[in-house]
């Protein structure tokens, strides 16, 4: 199918992009790997598309000891190849197929906020944020950093207003020797997962751990473990109980709930093993 008619805007700098968004309140086009299929299937019919692919300065990556900031035009494949962050790299390998990863953007995935997408869970478990910009009343730029816990509002809904552009996402660095894992089950390789769990386990005097689950609620379900809690099977049961899966044509809610428990235990064990190996235990 063909998309409904739209007016294409192709700003060349951030100021022009924000001005256009303030004026027309159109849909932002980044990699187009979710938006274009939605247009073709007539699930969306925006009058204006604000194509950010020519906007200078949005394809940058900034790595500091605190973490990595990924610009809005950094593609999945670039982020994956660059090995920017151990958990991000792990998750990116599970996102769709290489052809889609060549165009799709990290920030676009976050804004799109599919409940089964991997990257929202990564941002949520790490406690990162998305930087969002808009034109202010004086023709300048107003910026806000939205923490992951507030950014994902509902299924396919994130906290980006119609006159705003998500300019970057920040993924905090892992603590010394922390182990990570991302476990998921999809019907076919490259499909969205039926359910998935990412885990960060930090060793030390007292082990700390956190998981985020996908495909089992409207937004990533984050569970922070009590300090020193290492009975992964018991924790997995608690994670399972924290989720709110629904039946759909792909799987029943009961199956998804069972699956997320199994995956949580596996992810925690694997992350703990990786952390232990990193500190030579
Ligand atoms: C067959 C197929 C399988 C897929 N499988 C998976 C999968 O397993 N896991 C997964 O996570 N994803 C999957 N995807 C989606 C893919 O990862 C997309 O690339 C991603 O969801 C969106 O990134 P994009 O840059 O293409 O965004 P676009 O398609 O350009 O935009 C998506 C939405 O986000 C908005 N948006 C994008 N960037 C910005 C911005 N900077 N500021 C404000 N709004 C913005 C757009 O307006 C639009 O509403 C799949 C896609 C396909 C076609």
């Amino acid at each position: 199918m063909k998309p409904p008619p739209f007016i294409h805007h192709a700003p060349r700098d951030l100021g022009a992009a924000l001005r256009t968004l303030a004026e027309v309140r159109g849909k932002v086009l980044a990699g187009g790997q979710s938006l274009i299929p939605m247009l073709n299937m007539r699930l969306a019919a925006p009058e204006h598309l604000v194509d950010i692919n020519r906007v200078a300065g949005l394809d940058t990556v900034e790595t500091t000891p605190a973490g990595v900031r990924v610009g809005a035009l950094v593609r999945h494949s670039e982020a994956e190849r660059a090995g920017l962050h151990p958990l991000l790299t792990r998750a990116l390998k599970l996102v769709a197929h290489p052809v889609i990863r060549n165009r799709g953007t990290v920030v676009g995935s976050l804004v799109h906020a599919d409940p089964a997408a991997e990257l929202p869970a990564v941002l949520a478990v790490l406690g990162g944020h998305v930087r969002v910009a808009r034109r202010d009343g004086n023709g300048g730029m107003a910026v806000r950093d939205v923490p992951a816990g507030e950014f994902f509002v509902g299924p396919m809904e994130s906290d980006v207003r119609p006159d705003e552009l998500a300019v970057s996402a920040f993924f905090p660095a892992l603590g010394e020797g922390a182990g990570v894992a991302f476990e998921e089950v999809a019907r076919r390789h490259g499909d969205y997962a039926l359910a998935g769990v990412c885990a960060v386990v930090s060793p030390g005097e007292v082990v700390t751990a956190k998981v985020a689950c996908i495909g089992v609620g409207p937004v990533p379900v984050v569970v922070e473990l009590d300090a020193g809690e290492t009975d992964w099977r018991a924790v997995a049961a608690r994670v399972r109980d924290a989720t709110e899966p629904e039946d759909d044509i792909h799987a029943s809610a009961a199956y998804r709930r069972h699956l997320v428990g199994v995956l949580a235990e596996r992810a925690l064990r694997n992350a703990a093993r990786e952390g232990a190996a990193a500190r030579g235990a």
Side-chain angles (χ1 to χ4, degrees), residues 29 43 50 63 66 71 102 126 136 139-140 147 155 173 187 205 245 257 274:
L29 173 67
L43 295 172
V50 183
T63 304
N102 281 341
L126 295 173
D136 69 15
R187 287 168 68 94
E205 287 290 291
R257 187 171 284 112
E274 186 177 278

Side-chain angles (χ1 to χ4, degrees), residues 32 51 53 64 113 117 126 142 148 184 191 198:
D51 180 348
N53 284 281
T64 65
L126 295 173
E184 70 172 37
D191 278 5
C198 62

Side-chain angles (χ1 to χ4, degrees), residues 69-115:
R69 179 170 297 285
V70 179
L73 283 177
V74 175
R75 314 286 166 179
H76 296 314
S77 56
E78 289 163 359
E80 185 188 345
R81 267 198 307 275
L84 300 178
H85 188 290
L87 185 55
L88 187 59
T89 306
R90 213 68 65 86
L92 283 164
K93 292 185 191 311
L94 300 169
V95 173
H97 308 278
V99 172
I100 291 165
R101 298 204 292 267
N102 281 341
R103 290 298 299 167
T105 61
V106 169
V107 171
S109 269
L110 298 171
V111 176
H112 190 57
D114 191 298

Side-chain angles (χ1 to χ4, degrees), residues 105-191:
T105 61
V106 169
V107 171
S109 269
L110 298 171
V111 176
H112 190 57
D114 191 298
E118 287 81 6
L119 303 190
V122 171
L123 195 79
V125 83
L126 295 173
H129 68 251
V130 177
R131 179 161 292 172
V132 175
R134 70 176 164 81
R135 192 174 155 88
D136 69 15
N138 305 318
M141 184 169 76
V143 171
R144 60 192 182 102
D145 287 343
V146 189
E150 294 164 26
F151 188 73
F152 305 109
V153 178
M156 324 295 268
E157 196 186 349
S158 52
D159 184 12
V160 181
R161 298 166 199 154
D163 62 341
E164 289 181 324
L165 180 69
V167 289
S168 65
F170 180 72
F171 296 88
L174 296 172
E176 179 87 18
V180 295
F182 205 127
E183 301 291 335
E184 70 172 37
V185 169
R187 287 168 68 94
R188 290 172 306 192
H189 177 70
D191 278 5

